[in-house]
Amino acid sequence: MSRFLSARLSALEAYVPGEQPKVQGLIKLNTNESPYPPAPGVREAAAEAAEGLQLYNDLSAGRLIRMLSEACGVRPDQVAVSNGSDEMLAFAFQAFGEKGLAFPDITYGFYPVWANLYGLDARIVPLDEDFRIHIEDYLACGRTVVIANPNAPTGIGLPRDAIARIAESNPQNAVIVDEAYIDFGGESAAGLIDDYDNLLVVRTFSKSRQMAGARLGFALGSRELIGDLNRVRYSFHPYNVNSMTQAAGTAALADPAYFENCRTRIMETREWTKGELKKLGFTVLPSQANFLFAKPKSMSGEQFQQMLRKRNILVRRFDLPRIKDYLRITVGSREQMEIFIQTAKELIA
């Protein structure tokens, strides 16, 4: 680091994203991307938008927000969009984290990074022995609650009524629900935002809409919460969602059949893969996401990960005491997962 870096930031531990190598023949199951391309109209819409790149993009993202409001059953003034859901979550941490935060010890790795970056007090709450969120830990906690639902990297989801209990018991604090993986079998809390003015639901186009490279996220909440987020956005990056991404997002929303087909195929492949791993003796947590969290029986997680790497298969491992032997395995196409399972059989044998 340079001698000019702020003393406060010099101690910051940055988020470490999954590897993004460009290797031919690689089966990449480490970053929870979709194995399928975007909806057929997305490329054409983005290319058409590119014809006007000499002009600034629509600050209001009006068309995209109208389509999102219709798709989610909310009003347009209850929607905000962002450059990926990570940006929206960062806005929310800045806007609502001053009274302190509470989130699980095993969850999305960016939460503690943002807390440190913005100088926010964070209470880290352990998951129970089954890697589940203990609802009572968050009731009337007097802090902004941040929950990934389904949780990452475990894939375990909470029912909608659990989110309602947390929101109801914390009326003076925001409750932020990160629903990046909700379309793969979880229960969305989006339908609760009219009942709880402190509830903010954050979602993404990266996973179930096949648009990780486009960087598009959005939030659903009360008009007041959305206004707060836009205040932060206008103080930082008003033109945050570019013209091509807005066009791509509207095209993706215009093809619900493609969305439904892709997410259904991923869920079916997930359940097949889970069954095959269990036959091999793996411990596999229940998942409502586009990945599985599994532990091999006959070797360490690190050993298995490295053996897979030598076979050109990447999976993700987190070097934390409670989960160091678990692997987060993205659900790829059925063909990719069949190769993964066959390779696992050979390695275990």
Side-chain angles (χ1 to χ4, degrees):
M1 67 185 72
S2 78
R3 67 183 188 277
F4 307 108
L5 182 64
S6 161
R8 182 177 67 84
L9 296 183
S10 65
L12 190 67
E13 291 188 24
Y15 175 71
V16 180
E19 295 176 80
Q20 295 285 1
K22 306 299 180 185
V23 178
Q24 189 145 10
L26 189 70
I27 296 180
K28 193 165 171 294
L29 308 178
N30 66 322
T31 49
N32 296 344
E33 297 150 319
S34 175
Y36 306 114
V42 167
R43 180 184 297 183
E44 182 180 347
E48 184 177 340
E51 296 297 322
L53 287 183
Q54 76 276 17
L55 304 174
Y56 282 108
N57 50 298
D58 177 12
L59 272 174
S60 70
R63 185 178 176 213
L64 175 60
I65 283 180
R66 284 193 299 274
M67 293 189 71
L68 277 169
S69 70
E70 292 170 6
C72 298
V74 300
R75 300 190 311 272
D77 64 3
Q78 294 176 308
V79 184
V81 294
S82 58
N83 191 298
S85 61
D86 284 343
E87 183 183 63
M88 187 64 76
L89 289 163
F91 289 164
F93 271 59
Q94 293 174 77
F96 311 122
E98 190 176 53
K99 296 179 182 178
L101 303 159
F103 50 78
D105 63 336
I106 299 170
T107 190
Y108 185 29
F110 237 137
Y111 300 162
V113 174
W114 286 318
N116 290 332
L117 178 62
Y118 302 126
L120 306 174
D121 177 55
R123 177 188 296 165
I124 310 301
V125 184
L127 298 179
D128 69 17
E129 60 184 12
D130 295 322
F131 299 110
R132 295 179 181 274
I133 291 173
H134 194 239
I135 302 303
E136 284 68 21
D137 291 333
Y138 299 92
L139 300 182
C141 70
R143 291 170 172 260
T144 293
V145 175
V146 186
I147 288 176
N149 188 39
N151 195 17
T154 65
I156 299 173
L158 287 173
R160 185 182 296 108
D161 62 352
I163 300 298
R165 286 179 61 198
I166 294 171
E168 186 172 0
S169 72
N170 290 283
Q172 303 305 316
N173 298 89
V175 175
I176 302 167
V177 184
D178 180 358
E179 292 189 346
Y181 302 100
I182 200 67
D183 292 322
F184 301 105
E187 292 185 29
S188 176
L192 300 173
I193 64 173
D194 284 330
D195 299 323
Y196 303 101
D197 65 357
N198 61 333
L199 179 62
L200 184 74
V201 175
V202 179
R203 303 184 70 176
T204 180
F205 278 62
S206 292
K207 316 300 180 182
S208 59
R209 300 281 180 183
Q210 293 77 231
M211 284 177 50
R215 310 310 303 136
L216 180 58
F218 63 100
L220 309 172
S222 67
R223 178 181 179 182
E224 292 75 19
L225 286 183
I226 296 302
D228 295 339
L229 293 171
N230 280 323
R231 179 185 293 265
V232 175
R233 175 171 73 95
Y234 271 77
S235 301
F236 171 68
H237 189 195
Y239 294 96
N240 61 336
V241 182
N242 69 67
S243 300
M244 294 173 69
T245 294
Q246 289 186 37
T250 56
L253 290 167
D255 197 342
Y258 185 82
F259 160 77
E260 188 64 32
N261 179 55
C262 288
R263 80 180 192 98
T264 299
R265 289 165 71 187
I266 288 169
M267 288 190 291
E268 289 173 349
T269 303
R270 178 189 68 204
E271 294 309 303
W272 176 84
T273 305
K274 177 182 175 181
E276 294 299 306
L277 286 172
K278 285 190 169 183
K279 290 178 188 177
L280 294 174
F282 281 69
T283 299
V284 189
L285 300 190
S287 175
Q288 292 177 302
N290 69 337
F291 58 83
L292 292 165
F293 205 49
K295 181 173 70 170
K297 180 180 180 180
S298 56
M299 65 186 80
S300 71
E302 183 177 17
Q303 182 183 9
F304 190 65
Q305 181 192 36
Q306 294 304 320
M307 293 170 73
L308 286 172
R309 177 187 290 274
K310 292 177 181 177
R311 301 287 192 98
N312 269 358
I313 299 175
L314 294 185
V315 295
R316 190 85 192 266
R317 191 181 72 88
F318 301 89
D319 198 19
L320 300 172
R322 295 182 67 189
I323 58 172
K324 62 183 177 66
D325 284 324
Y326 279 83
L327 302 169
R328 194 193 67 189
I329 305 161
T330 302
V331 177
S333 66
R334 179 61 181 258
E335 180 184 12
Q336 288 176 322
M337 302 318 288
E338 286 176 355
I339 294 171
F340 165 72
I341 289 296
Q342 181 58 37
T343 303
K345 289 178 181 178
E346 294 169 5
L347 294 178
I348 289 172

